[in-house]
């Protein structure tokens, strides 16, 4: 490639970016975006409207679980153990940002693994690289945080709000609470009580972080046979900090595993279903049990990118296959607000690029993450509108995916349940829609359905698929590109 081509971002094809996005080749790929205009991506997270103001919000794709070379290894022959850069994940932070931009993301998050004294590595080595990456790729808002080695649990996103002291904030939280950061090891760091202490501490901070569970059923050994993460722990954590501990990955990363003969998602004990964790994919399962209590508990989809599958890993690039869409402005604060409040839908294989689910009754309406309140004294029919937009053109596998079916799922909200409850028997697929059931409005397809005589609190959520499976089947080694699904987060109906 000539020097003139390196300076012309328009000449970088997706294939060339993949080729150049390796360790030691970052600047070659970064060159075209240096100085790129992004005046709308305000670093301080402020915006013209008030907090919660809906003006300027559109669906923006992102990924909150991406690893860099600061997910390293450890030399245990020295005391304390020495950090080995690139020992686990291999790509520089800026490479991930370049690829995120290339695959259509407008926000992403660096989430590296912890380890002995890793809080110092993050503060002194990784954070300066993040600042450099923000300058090189301003089109992608790049959050700071880590893959938190949560006490007594599997890994979690710890997302830090964008502010001047974000680096010190992560250092404080990681050094105090991450179970692997202490050296020598401290067994007291690996208890549920420590996790609850962490969440209570976090919720009282001026700049509240977000905590989202990763690959929650990866250690489960059967359907409903839980491993490291349990319903009890989710409930206790959410009770301790409901505006901090807000959900789990519906679709975990490592989705490219089958392309190299490995289990999809790395779920070697019990499989994913259509690429989604059993906690999400099972109608009436744990996610529905939490929603049935009225909890604001959301799902996301991530890459968990460590090493691309073409280089022997099990991963897609950020945004190449999985996307978490948030309804937000292009600023840090509003993206976190969307994640905190459930203005989210997720998709794989770019099956859709927008998805709106609206519940209306008695002149009021609400979208995903929101609540519409209706009166028993009036007619309590609830109109559900589903509006989705298919991908225009091919996805990143060169396919043109087609939505074959959309399902409307509802469940009753019955109040607090026992801590170990993992099912909601009131949840059901109330309607299934095919292409003959939706009508086109511009670039969107619209479905309308009436829920008759709603007499008690409930929620509604939507999923869709490119397959003909009535329910997502347990995954084997089929290509993930042939098994695509999207899921909305719920809209709530309160009857008073």
């Amino acid at each position: 490639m000539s020097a003139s081509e390196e300076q012309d971002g328009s000449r970088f094809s997706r294939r060339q970016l993949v080729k150049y996005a390796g360790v030691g080749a970052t600047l070659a790929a970064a060159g075209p975006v240096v100085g790129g205009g992004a005046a709308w991506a305000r670093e301080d997270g402020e915006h013209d409207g008030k907090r919660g103001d809906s003006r300027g919000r559109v669906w923006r794709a992102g990924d909150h679980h991406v690893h860099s070379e600061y997910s390293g290894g450890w030399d245990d022959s020295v005391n304390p153990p020495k950090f080995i850069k690139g020992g686990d994940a291999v790509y520089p932070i800026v490479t991930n940002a370049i690829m995120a931009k290339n695959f259509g993301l407008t926000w992403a998050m660096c989430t590296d693994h912890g380890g002995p004294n890793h809080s110092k590595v993050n503060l002194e080595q990784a954070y300066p690289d993040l600042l450099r990456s923000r300058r090189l790729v301003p089109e992608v808002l790049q959050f700071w945080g880590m893959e938190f080695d949560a006490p007594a649990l599997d890994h979690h996103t710890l997302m830090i709000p964008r502010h001047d002291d974000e680096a010190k904030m992560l250092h404080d939280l990681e050094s105090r609470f991450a179970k692997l950061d202490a050296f020598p090891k401290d067994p007291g760091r690996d208890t549920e009580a420590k996790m609850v202490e962490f969440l209570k501490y976090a919720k009282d901070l001026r700049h509240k972080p977000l905590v989202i569970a990763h690959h929650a059923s990866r250690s489960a050994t059967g359907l409903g046979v839980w491993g490291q993460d349990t319903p009890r722990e989710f409930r206790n954590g959410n009770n301790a900090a409901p505006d901090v501990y807000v959900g789990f990955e519906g679709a975990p990363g490592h989705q490219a595993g089958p392309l190299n003969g490995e289990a999809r998602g790395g779920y070697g004990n019990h499989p994913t279903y259509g690429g989604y964790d059993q906690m999400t994919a099972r109608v009436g399962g744990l996610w529905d049990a939490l929603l049935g209590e009225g909890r604001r508990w959301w799902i996301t989809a991530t890459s968990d990118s460590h090493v691309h599958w073409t280089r022997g890993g099990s991963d897609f690039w950020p945004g190449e296959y999985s996307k978490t869409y948030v309804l937000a402005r292009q600023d840090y604060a509003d993206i976190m607000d969307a994640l905190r409040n459930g203005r989210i839908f997720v998709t794989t294989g770019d099956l859709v690029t927008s998805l709106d689910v609206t519940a209306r009754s008695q002149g009021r309406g609400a979208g995903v993450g929101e609540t519409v309140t209706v009166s028993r004294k009036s007619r309590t029919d609830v109109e559900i509108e589903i509006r989705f937009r298919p991908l225009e053109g091919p996805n990143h596998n060169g396919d043109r995916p087609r939505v074959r079916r959309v399902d409307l799922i509802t469940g009753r909200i019955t109040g607090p349940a026992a801590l170990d409850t993992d099912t909601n028997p009131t949840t059901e697929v109330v309607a299934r829609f095919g292409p003959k059931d939706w009508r086109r409005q511009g670039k969107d397809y619209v479905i309308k359905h009436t829920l008759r005589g709603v007499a008690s609190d409930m929620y509604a959520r939507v999923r869709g698929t490119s397959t003909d499976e009535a329910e997502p089947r347990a995954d084997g080694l089929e290509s993930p590109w042939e098994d695509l699904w999207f899921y909305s987060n719920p809209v709530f109906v309160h009857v008073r």
Side-chain angles (χ1 to χ4, degrees):
M1 181 177 290
S2 69
S4 62
E5 285 178 318
E6 290 183 1
Q7 294 171 359
D8 183 359
S10 65
R11 299 186 190 182
F12 269 84
S13 69
R14 178 163 57 89
R15 182 169 296 178
Q16 288 168 327
L17 275 169
V18 171
K19 175 183 176 182
Y20 276 84
V23 176
T26 301
L27 286 178
V33 298
V34 174
W40 37 265
R42 304 189 181 191
E43 277 242 324
D44 59 5
E46 295 180 355
H47 49 75
D48 294 332
K50 297 179 180 179
R51 186 175 181 81
D53 186 345
S54 63
R55 288 178 296 177
R57 285 177 176 161
V58 298
W59 289 113
R60 302 182 190 276
D63 186 339
H64 65 82
H65 186 179
V66 181
H67 290 265
S68 79
E69 60 194 340
Y70 292 105
S71 287
W74 303 91
D75 179 359
D76 294 323
S77 67
V78 296
N79 190 353
K82 181 181 178 182
F83 175 71
I84 304 172
K85 191 176 180 181
D88 182 21
V90 298
Y91 302 114
I93 292 173
V94 69
T95 298
N96 288 329
I98 292 164
M99 301 312 289
K101 175 190 171 186
N102 178 62
F103 289 111
L105 302 189
T106 68
W107 61 274
M109 181 182 165
C110 185
T111 52
D112 286 317
H113 290 295
N117 300 316
H118 187 263
S119 55
K120 187 176 181 181
V121 174
N122 265 336
L123 181 67
E124 297 178 356
Q125 299 181 47
Y127 185 67
D129 276 7
L130 175 78
L131 296 180
R132 178 170 175 271
S133 182
R134 283 174 173 170
R135 293 192 298 271
L136 288 169
V137 194
E139 298 88 349
V140 179
L141 300 188
Q142 299 172 54
F143 286 90
W144 184 229
M146 70 175 295
E147 182 164 44
F148 186 60
D149 38 289
L153 289 147
D154 206 336
H155 299 143
H156 284 57
T157 279
L158 172 56
M159 177 181 272
I160 304 300
R162 172 72 183 93
H163 64 292
D164 289 343
D165 290 327
E166 60 186 349
K168 292 180 182 178
M169 180 176 173
L170 178 61
H171 180 267
D172 175 53
L173 292 171
E174 184 177 6
S175 61
R176 282 178 183 243
F177 298 106
K179 66 186 175 189
L180 298 181
D181 197 71
F183 184 81
K185 291 182 179 179
D186 177 5
R189 288 281 194 106
D190 196 15
T191 66
E192 185 182 356
K194 193 68 175 180
M195 181 66 175
V196 171
E197 179 188 345
F198 156 69
L199 291 168
K200 288 182 175 178
Y201 179 84
K203 78 177 177 62
D204 290 333
L205 294 173
R206 178 186 173 194
H207 300 283
K208 288 182 174 59
L210 281 173
V211 177
I212 299 170
H214 293 172
H215 39 71
S217 297
R218 195 167 70 181
S219 56
T221 56
L223 188 63
V225 184
W226 308 119
Q228 285 181 276
D229 293 352
T230 66
R232 175 182 295 265
E233 290 167 316
F234 289 145
R235 286 186 171 93
N236 285 337
N238 183 246
N239 289 344
D243 57 350
V244 172
Y245 197 26
V246 297
F248 47 50
E249 290 176 335
H254 304 315
Q255 292 277 340
L259 301 179
N260 281 330
E262 301 174 8
R264 196 166 174 183
Y267 278 46
N269 297 317
H270 187 80
T272 51
Y273 293 76
Y276 286 73
D277 189 291
Q278 61 165 294
M279 292 181 178
T280 295
R282 183 184 181 190
V283 173
L286 179 55
W287 186 30
D288 288 311
L290 298 171
L291 297 178
E293 295 182 272
R295 293 181 188 272
R296 273 44 181 172
W297 190 262
W298 321 120
I299 65 164
T300 60
T302 69
S303 66
D304 197 355
S305 176
H306 287 66
V307 180
H308 196 262
W309 72 270
T310 57
R311 297 188 174 189
S314 58
D315 306 323
F316 292 110
W317 290 109
E320 184 180 4
Y321 182 76
S322 301
K323 286 182 171 70
T324 294
Y325 279 88
V326 295
L327 189 62
R329 289 174 289 274
Q330 185 67 357
D331 69 60
Y332 286 91
D334 207 45
I335 288 169
M336 280 198 77
D337 185 75
L339 289 167
R340 200 182 306 275
N341 292 293
R343 300 193 305 274
I344 307 164
F345 79 86
V346 300
T347 189
T348 54
D350 290 306
L351 185 55
V352 293
T353 59
S354 70
L355 174 64
D356 293 284
V357 182
T358 307
R360 294 188 178 91
S361 184
Q362 301 169 8
R364 303 181 181 93
V368 292
E370 299 176 338
T371 303
V372 59
T373 299
V374 299
S375 173
R376 283 190 179 90
K377 296 179 181 179
S378 304
R379 181 181 177 88
T380 52
D381 289 353
V382 176
E383 301 287 341
I384 301 293
E385 181 183 275
I386 304 163
R387 180 181 293 267
F388 66 93
R389 181 173 298 183
L391 178 69
E392 294 183 23
N395 64 14
H396 299 299
N397 195 48
D399 304 325
R400 295 178 180 268
R402 184 168 66 90
V403 179
R404 290 181 179 270
R405 197 188 69 253
V406 175
D407 296 335
L408 174 62
I409 300 167
T410 67
R412 289 177 55 198
I413 298 174
T414 56
L419 289 175
D420 294 322
T421 301
D422 60 5
T423 60
N424 182 348
T426 73
T427 308
E428 60 180 334
V429 179
V430 296
R432 299 185 189 273
F433 309 98
K436 294 181 180 179
D437 300 311
W438 51 69
R439 58 187 175 84
R440 186 157 191 165
Q441 286 188 359
K443 296 181 179 180
D444 296 337
Y445 290 93
V446 179
I447 301 166
K448 293 188 177 182
H449 182 81
T450 302
L451 301 173
R452 301 289 183 187
V454 176
S456 61
D457 293 353
M458 60 160 292
Y459 63 90
R461 60 182 182 86
V462 166
R463 71 180 178 192
T465 182
S466 66
T467 75
D468 58 3
E469 300 172 9
E471 294 296 324
R473 299 185 191 129
D475 293 325
L477 295 180
E478 74 275 13
S479 170
W481 294 104
E482 297 172 1
D483 188 18
L484 308 181
W485 294 77
F486 63 80
Y487 283 70
S488 79
N489 273 279
V491 56
F492 300 92
V493 179
H494 174 55
V495 181
R496 65 181 180 186

